[in-house]
Amino acid sequence: MAEVKPGSQTGGPTPVGGGPILLISELALAYGDLTVLGGFDLSVNEGEFVCLLGPSGCGKTSVLRLVAGLIEPGGGKIHAAGRLVTGPGTDRAMVFQNYGLLPWRTVLGNVEFGLEIQGESRDERRQKSVQQIQRLGLAGFERHYPSELSGGMQQRVGLARAFTKNPKILLMDEPFAAVDMQTREYLQDELLKVWEQVRTTVIFVTHSIDEALYLGDRVLVMGARGGETQADVTVDLPRPRYATDVKASARFGELRGQLREALHSGEGHARASHRRESAGGTDDDGSAK
């Protein structure tokens, strides 16, 4: 098995639409004495599908919230679509794990909501919303309320709402974690089918190695401490992934092994650092704890 070094890539690159659309440099975030991110860097090309993989608490979701402009960094800069991120913007949309639907609105009302906030006319937002509802297999459920839908259908409503805004960058925070495995695989395929058409840049957070490999052009493995990058792996699997049983391929197994090794390496580093701190040592950068 080939060694995966921090920041390295394996396999041939997957073609993407253009140059960098997201640039993150020296990003820092802390809550009191707890460092969540310390000097995190990331460059994402236009049309690229990048998955962030790592243990709980490593800062994956924090990266998404910072890019979305929902929270302010303690240091560093984020440029999205050529502009410095200072808050939320229409060029970015976020899909949450808990669906984020308004219970008093119908499926159509929820899908239209973002466009309504942006001030689009009723006819314009209705046309765009109906298109996404049909694309995501929700036709016939326009007048249903979230409480009348399964978890998988609720997440499809969230996806439809995000895609109606035609964002340049789509941020997805473990959107399929709360559904059963069969529904999860179905939603992965539906997401890829839409993405193949629109080629929106996607940053996707997951705890699943298989999900990251199945969806992504690249998988960034984050360590357990301070957002350290353990590996940046190019996924050289053919697209469309849903057209063949790509998970059964030898290459898929090889990449899975490389990501597992990178994850375990990060966990081992975190345990060693914790032991040093418990013994009164110093942090990786030499600062006293």
Side-chain angles (χ1 to χ4, degrees):
M1 180 183 298
E3 181 182 4
V4 180
K5 297 180 180 180
S8 69
Q9 296 184 342
T10 62
T14 302
V16 293
I21 193 171
L22 177 66
L23 288 170
I24 300 175
S25 57
E26 294 296 318
L27 194 61
L29 180 68
Y31 296 108
D33 293 332
L34 175 64
T35 298
V36 180
L37 297 169
F40 179 78
D41 299 308
L42 178 63
S43 175
V44 179
N45 287 336
E46 183 179 0
E48 197 170 21
F49 200 126
V50 176
C51 293
L52 303 185
L53 179 69
S56 297
C58 72
K60 304 185 300 296
T61 295
S62 294
V63 171
L64 291 194
R65 292 173 64 83
L66 286 161
V67 174
L70 300 178
I71 56 177
E72 295 184 4
K77 295 181 179 180
I78 304 171
H79 286 87
R83 295 184 178 182
L84 181 67
V85 172
T86 57
T90 58
D91 57 341
R92 287 152 284 140
M94 191 158 177
V95 178
F96 300 92
Q97 182 177 338
N98 63 354
Y99 315 134
L101 303 182
L102 303 176
W104 61 87
R105 281 187 171 240
T106 63
V107 167
L108 181 58
N110 270 285
V111 175
E112 287 185 333
F113 183 67
L115 300 177
E116 184 179 332
I117 293 298
Q118 292 178 21
E120 292 206 17
S121 70
R122 183 179 183 277
D123 289 343
E124 288 177 334
R125 64 177 186 260
R126 182 63 50 90
Q127 180 182 3
K128 293 179 180 178
S129 297
V130 169
Q131 180 185 28
Q132 295 301 332
I133 285 172
Q134 293 175 344
R135 178 178 279 172
L136 283 158
L138 292 165
F141 293 91
E142 291 89 344
R143 299 190 181 279
H144 285 62
Y145 289 90
S147 61
E148 300 173 314
L149 306 176
S150 66
M153 292 184 72
Q154 289 185 53
Q155 192 56 277
R156 275 187 277 166
V157 175
L159 287 173
R161 180 176 58 192
F163 278 114
T164 58
K165 298 173 64 178
N166 193 27
K168 294 183 178 180
I169 301 173
L170 182 60
L171 307 165
M172 309 189 73
D173 186 15
E174 296 190 79
F176 310 143
V179 299
D180 62 83
M181 183 55 66
Q182 184 175 357
T183 302
R184 184 172 188 161
E185 292 185 348
Y186 171 79
L187 290 173
Q188 290 170 358
D189 285 348
E190 291 303 299
L191 171 60
L192 286 180
K193 288 174 183 177
V194 176
W195 178 78
E196 291 281 354
Q197 297 178 50
V198 300
R199 286 289 174 164
T200 299
T201 303
V202 178
I203 313 297
F204 189 104
V205 162
T206 181
H207 281 95
S208 169
I209 292 176
D210 283 9
E211 183 170 65
L213 287 175
Y214 187 66
L215 296 176
D217 293 314
R218 287 165 58 200
V219 180
L220 192 78
V221 180
M222 297 177 66
R225 291 171 47 85
E228 296 174 343
T229 299
Q230 298 299 314
D232 187 348
V233 178
T234 297
V235 182
D236 56 342
L237 297 171
R239 291 192 185 275
R241 305 266 166 86
Y242 49 82
T244 60
D245 191 7
V246 68
K247 293 181 182 179
S249 68
R251 183 57 179 160
F252 192 94
E254 291 171 2
L255 290 168
R256 183 196 288 123
Q258 291 171 358
L259 292 178
R260 285 176 59 86
E261 182 178 341
L263 280 171
H264 292 163
S265 173
E267 291 170 357
H269 175 76
R271 287 194 294 268
S273 296
H274 178 72
R275 286 195 296 268
R276 287 197 300 271
E277 292 167 12
S278 299
T282 60
D283 201 355
D284 297 330
D285 62 359
S287 59
K289 297 298 286 185

